[in-house]
């Protein structure tokens, strides 16, 4: 029996923490936990056996940190460690005589993917794929992807598991206390992505205790139609006698897990700090409980890396301007590779009110396969709106959908067999809401009944690929009224039929209706109003047209889609001029705020013609970074915007520094800071983010790397007269190394200030181990540096 057959009918219990148990068994800081598969196999059998005795249905193999990146400086290989881990779990199950499943445990790679980091998406897929192949060959029953904090890395891992194995795929992410992933994703975005990729179960693990995860379970359940997984930590970490301990004991853990089960989770286990005692208490409390029913949601949803957009009763705007049709400037930008113009156009549309952006790069004299992917990646680096991928080139479509960070809208499919049988497999594999044009091999019917019949046939074909009406958004085709007086009425009537008879969603390219007529905006606005009245779900329009926007907001209010007219009021109550938009005149400040590197470099060079370098830095670059930093701290912006703005500032700094070097000027550094990931911890994502921001604020940063001993850190501080140290730790088993480092610094460099951060830390914990500052995020490190150095 596959574990898929047991998902839903009963609660399934996963084991608890592996790292916690290995640490208790003697794992030392700096040791590779997975190396114990070879060096201490008896301990792994014992730990697995303890969890089996506690009632675990799923035993996770000791493979969390196994990938070629993390193993490159070790004597072990991926195949060796995965095979040994799975075999040890199998042996423990056989010895117990119980029925249980072995999960291949797949953790993060430890590197950010482009454009936030330096790792290519396909490289990540290959790295995960190697692990997954080894897991299936060794006899794992499922792939359990966990502790993911970036939706793009999550997508790479799920694709690898799906492409390299036939195993069920479970996937969990790690939310911060604000309900967001490290890279900004919310619950709806995570669900949209994972359900689109056809994960078998999804959920949350690590970073927070069970009490803090209850609301997140509700948020996931609101959108999810597949089983939910919850694996909390045993509360918050603390130290006692040099050991890391957690504040939620087994009985309290079991009480909270009962509540989490009541809220809809049906795969339950533990993460950091949980032990067989925690799992036993949970199983004893819940073993006779039936799971809550899994409600199938019929949501038509698309997403970006940080949020989802529902295509439903409240119509949304899809920006139409990133398209060569009728846009000579865009065609020129495409041929010249002018990403700067394209990104500005994307920003203008999003600021104008577009909930999604259509991207079409179809020109006869360019490589559309490469260009479409490049443009989408560029737009996603500055905009968080979901993308509508618009192409008739199937190869370009698949490549773009594959690397897209989120669940896209796909434009489009039609009733021709060659269209449905080439597009639907892509949607089936990668996920997406696909626009279905009501035309077929016989053309566009001139009656509403004819177009509706095509819509029905498209839906029937979609079902053969496991897709349904929630995956389709029907375009009833707005044809020019200048060539057919009933064109508008036919499109509107078809739309009504689709909404009433199929219960499906609709979309229109509104401006097509006025082709060939003067003063087209008047026709377009009137038609948009009529379409919204007829039940239009999404309008492809120019969001920077005042007349179209007025029609959109007024129509929503008139049709009851705008609750208490709040959208209309927010848009027009003050009648203030539009805020500055990223047009051709975008200056350095706005270029940095919006994270546009090329524009920032050009703007910096222009400013140097009339202003002093230090004046530009102090009055433009630093204030722009401060604005982005404040937005990040207020949860209005997220890590991608923070990093992209930092990169834009860095390109401007490079131009300014080159200018200063020629004139013999030197930019004064604000102060020198040492950063390091502590002994035993090989994760450096957080530390690298902190480093990047400190550099952008003109601090001199000495990066000692990862897995750094206390002695190396102290020597670096003493040798360089360092006034501030930043220490990072991601794993509970390595926080002890942080405490020892702080003790040694206090003893040998008492004047040095110490700031700490990492997923397993809290302010209380940081204070207890002697840190001067706990930084919950990267901007916190900048703020504390400003305090220390008085800048």
């Amino acid at each position: 029996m596959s574990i898929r057959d047991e998902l839903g009918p009963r609660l399934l219990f996963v084991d608890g923490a592996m790292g916690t148990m290995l640490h208790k068994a003697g794992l030392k800081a700096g040791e590779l936990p997975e190396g114990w598969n070879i060096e201490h196999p008896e301990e792994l059998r014992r730990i697995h056996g303890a969890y089996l005795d506690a009632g675990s249905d799923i035993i996770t193999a000791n493979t969390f940190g196994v990938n070629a990146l993390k193993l490159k400086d070790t004597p072990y290989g991926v195949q060796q460690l995965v095979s040994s881990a799975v075999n040890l779990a199998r042996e423990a199950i056989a010895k117990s005589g119980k029925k249980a499943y072995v999960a291949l445990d797949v953790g993060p790679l430890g590197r950010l993917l482009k454009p936030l980091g330096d790792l290519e998406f396909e490289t990540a897929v290959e790295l995960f794929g190697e692990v997954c192949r080894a897991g299936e060959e060794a006899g794992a029953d499922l792939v359990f992807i966990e502790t993911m904090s970036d939706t793009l890395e999550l997508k790479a891992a799920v694709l690898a598991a799906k492409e390299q194995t036939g195993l069920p795929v479970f996937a969990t992410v790690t939310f911060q206390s604000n309900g967001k992933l490290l890279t900004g994703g919310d619950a709806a975005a995570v669900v949209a992505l994972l359900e689109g990729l056809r994960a078998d179960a999804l959920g949350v693990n690590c970073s927070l205790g069970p009490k803090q995860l209850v609301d997140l379970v509700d948020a996931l359940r609101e959108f999810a139609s597949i089983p939910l997984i919850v694996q909390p930590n045993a509360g918050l970490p603390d130290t006692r006698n040099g050991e890391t301990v957690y504040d939620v004991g087994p009985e309290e853990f079991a009480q909270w897990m009962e509540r989490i089960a009541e809220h809809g989770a049906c795969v339950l286990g533990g993460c950091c700090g949980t032990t067989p005692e925690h799992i036993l208490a949970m199983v004893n409390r819940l073993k006779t409980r039936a799971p809550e029913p899994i409600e199938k949601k019929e949501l038509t949803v698309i997403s970006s890396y940080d949020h989802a957009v529902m295509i439903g009763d409240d119509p949304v705007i899809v920006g139409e301007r990133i398209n060569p049709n009728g846009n000579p400037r865009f065609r020129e930008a495409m041929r010249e590779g002018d990403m700067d113009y394209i990104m500005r156009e994307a920003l203008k549309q999003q600021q104008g009110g577009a909930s999604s952006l259509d991207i079409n790069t179809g020109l006869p004299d360019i490589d559309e396969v490469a260009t479409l992917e490049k443009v989408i990646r560029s737009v996603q680096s500055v905009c968080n709106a979901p993308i509508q991928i618009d192409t008739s080139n199937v190869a370009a479509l698949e490549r773009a959908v594959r690397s897209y960070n989120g669940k896209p809208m796909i434009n489009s499919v039609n009733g021709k067999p060659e269209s449905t049988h080439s597009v639907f497999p892509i949607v089936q594999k990668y996920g997406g809401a696909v626009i279905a044009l009501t035309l077929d091999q016989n053309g566009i019917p001139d009656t509403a009944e004819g177009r509706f019949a095509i819509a029905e046939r498209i839906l029937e074909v979609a079902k053969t690929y496991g897709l349904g009406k929630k995956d389709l958004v029907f375009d009833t085709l707005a044809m020019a009224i200048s060539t057919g007086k009933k064109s508008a009425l036919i499109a509107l009537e078809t739309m009504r039929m689709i909404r009433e008879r199929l219960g499906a969603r609709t979309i229109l390219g509104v401006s097509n209706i006025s082709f060939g007529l003067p003063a087209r905006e008047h026709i377009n606005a009137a038609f948009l109003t009529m379409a919204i009245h007829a039940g239009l779900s999404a309008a492809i329009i120019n969001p920077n047209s005042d007349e179209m926007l007025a029609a959109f907001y007024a129509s929503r209010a008139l049709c009851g889609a705008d609750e208490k007219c709040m959208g209309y009021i927010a848009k027009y109550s003050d009648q203030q001029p539009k805020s500055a938009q990223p047009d051709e005149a975008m200056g350095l400040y706005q270029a940095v705020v919006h994270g546009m590197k090329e524009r920032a470099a050009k703007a910096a060079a222009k400013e140097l013609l009339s202003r002093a370098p230090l004046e530009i830095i102090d009055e433009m670059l630093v204030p722009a970074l401060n604005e982005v930093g404040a937005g990040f701290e207020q949860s209005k912006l997220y890590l991608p915007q923070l990093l992209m703005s930092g990169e834009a500032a860095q390109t401007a700094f490079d131009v300014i520094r080159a200018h200063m070097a020629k004139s013999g000027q030197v930019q004064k550094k604000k102060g020198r800071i040492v950063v390091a990931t502590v002994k035993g911890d090989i994760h450096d994502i957080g530390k690298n983010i902190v480093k990047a921001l400190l550099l952008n604020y003109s601090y001199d940063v000495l990066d000692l790397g990862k897995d750094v001993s206390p002695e190396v850190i102290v020597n670096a501080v003493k040798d360089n007269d360092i006034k501030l140290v930043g220490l990072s730790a991601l794993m509970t088993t390595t926080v002890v190394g942080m405490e020892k480092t702080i003790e040694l610094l206090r003893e040998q460099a008492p004047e040095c200030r110490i700031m700490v951060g990492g997923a397993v830390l809290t302010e209380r914990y940081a204070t207890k181990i002697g840190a001067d500052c706990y930084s919950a995020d990267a901007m916190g490190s900048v703020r504390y540096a400003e305090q220390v150095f008085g800048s």
Side-chain angles (χ1 to χ4, degrees), residues 632 639 642-643 686 689-690 693-694 775-783:
F632 177 78
L639 184 64
L642 189 68
L643 292 181
I689 293 168
V690 168
L693 286 183
L694 289 171
S775 181
D777 54 52
M779 275 308 300
S781 66
V782 174
R783 300 297 182 229

Side-chain angles (χ1 to χ4, degrees), residues 186 188-189 192-193 300-311 316-320 322 346 349-350 353-359 375-377 379-390 404-410 432-433 435 507 538:
D186 62 13
L193 175 69
T300 301
V301 58
I302 56 176
S303 69
S304 65
Y305 63 85
D306 80 337
H307 74 284
V309 171
M310 303 298 161
I311 310 297
V316 299
I317 293 173
V318 179
E320 69 180 4
I322 307 178
Q349 292 186 95
Q350 185 169 4
S355 296
S356 175
L357 301 175
D358 183 271
I359 294 182
V375 170
I376 289 172
R377 177 177 290 186
V379 169
Q380 281 209 296
S381 73
V382 296
C383 286
N384 66 345
I387 301 300
Q388 179 169 291
I389 301 174
D390 186 357
Y404 172 72
N405 193 353
K407 179 184 178 184
M409 183 90 87
I410 294 170
I435 295 175
I507 190 169

Side-chain angles (χ1 to χ4, degrees), residues 318-345:
V318 179
E320 69 180 4
R321 297 294 296 164
I322 307 178
N323 193 313
N325 295 322
N327 190 342
R329 178 66 185 89
F330 180 78
R331 291 197 292 270
E332 178 185 350
M334 290 297 306
R335 293 190 175 99
E336 296 175 355
D338 185 358
M339 293 298 109
D340 189 71
Y341 167 80
I342 295 168
M343 288 189 286
R344 289 201 312 276
E345 190 60 54

